[in-house]
Amino acid sequence: MNRRELSSLLLLAAVGAGARSAWAHEGHEGEAESSASEPLPVSVTVSFGAGLNTAQPGNRANHHILPRWIRLRRGGVVNFVVAGFHQVTVYNPGKKDEDIVPADPSGLFVNDPNGRFYLGIAPAAPPEGSVNPSNAVNRVESVSFPKSGTYLVICNVLPHFRDGMYAYVWVR
Ligand SMILES: [Cu+2]
């Protein structure tokens, strides 16, 4: 990597970090608290990648977990519907998106094992320039949450995480 590529990468990382910090200070933790009177679901469907029609390689429009704040009853299950080249990774309560430390800042995957609760199925590489219809990429991946806490969920693909592909599961 030359100096220009490195500075572009650092700039992208800084922009991503800024966006995440801003989100964290918007009071989203309060969303789950304020709606605490509603019954908590025992099974939730979450979009992990914003639709196969957006899953072209390098398309940041796809790099989202929807919704970003997920409420769940203790012992419940989150069914991550994976659309595109993604890897579901969940961290134990206490870890926040700003605490993520990529194993290799220039690598393809985040691979931060510190505090990891669940490492999902590794995606297969899609064919060059096409959307891969393979179930190795596009799948449902169910994760149970037997204990209370607020769990960080990220996409383990590093450029996707830098695009803001993370969410929290609030379990009570
Ligand atoms: Cu991803």
Side-chain angles (χ1 to χ4, degrees):
M1 181 179 301
N2 63 34
R3 184 174 294 212
R4 177 176 291 184
E5 287 169 334
L6 179 63
S7 57
S8 300
L9 193 64
L10 291 174
L11 178 63
L12 280 173
V15 168
R20 286 197 298 277
S21 303
W23 178 82
H25 290 100
E26 284 169 20
H28 286 258
E29 294 212 17
E31 285 178 14
E33 304 287 350
S34 64
S35 51
S37 58
E38 297 166 23
L40 293 169
V42 293
S43 178
V44 178
T45 299
V46 171
S47 297
F48 204 87
L52 265 189
N53 51 335
T54 65
Q56 291 77 28
N59 184 9
R60 357 177 9 155
N62 178 264
H63 303 165
H64 303 290
I65 301 171
L66 302 173
R68 178 162 274 176
W69 195 270
I70 302 146
R71 299 169 70 247
L72 185 72
R73 191 182 301 174
R74 186 174 58 238
V77 174
V78 175
N79 301 303
F80 293 102
V81 178
V82 181
F85 183 96
H86 305 293
Q87 186 174 21
V88 177
T89 306
V90 184
Y91 289 89
N92 283 309
K95 183 132 175 153
K96 299 218 164 68
D97 49 285
E98 59 261 33
D99 301 328
I100 290 289
V101 179
D104 173 1
S106 59
L108 180 58
F109 293 96
V110 172
N111 287 343
D112 179 357
N114 196 10
R116 195 161 56 197
F117 171 74
Y118 173 79
L119 177 64
I121 298 168
E128 190 69 30
S130 69
V131 174
N132 186 354
S134 165
N135 282 358
V137 173
N138 308 300
R139 61 193 184 270
V140 175
E141 201 165 328
S142 301
V143 180
S144 175
F145 293 85
K147 295 179 181 168
S148 296
T150 303
Y151 297 75
L152 169 66
V153 184
I154 70 164
C155 179
N156 197 43
V157 179
L158 184 53
H160 297 188
F161 175 69
R162 286 185 174 140
D163 283 345
M165 192 166 181
Y166 68 92
Y168 287 91
V169 184
W170 189 80
V171 183
R172 295 296 184 274

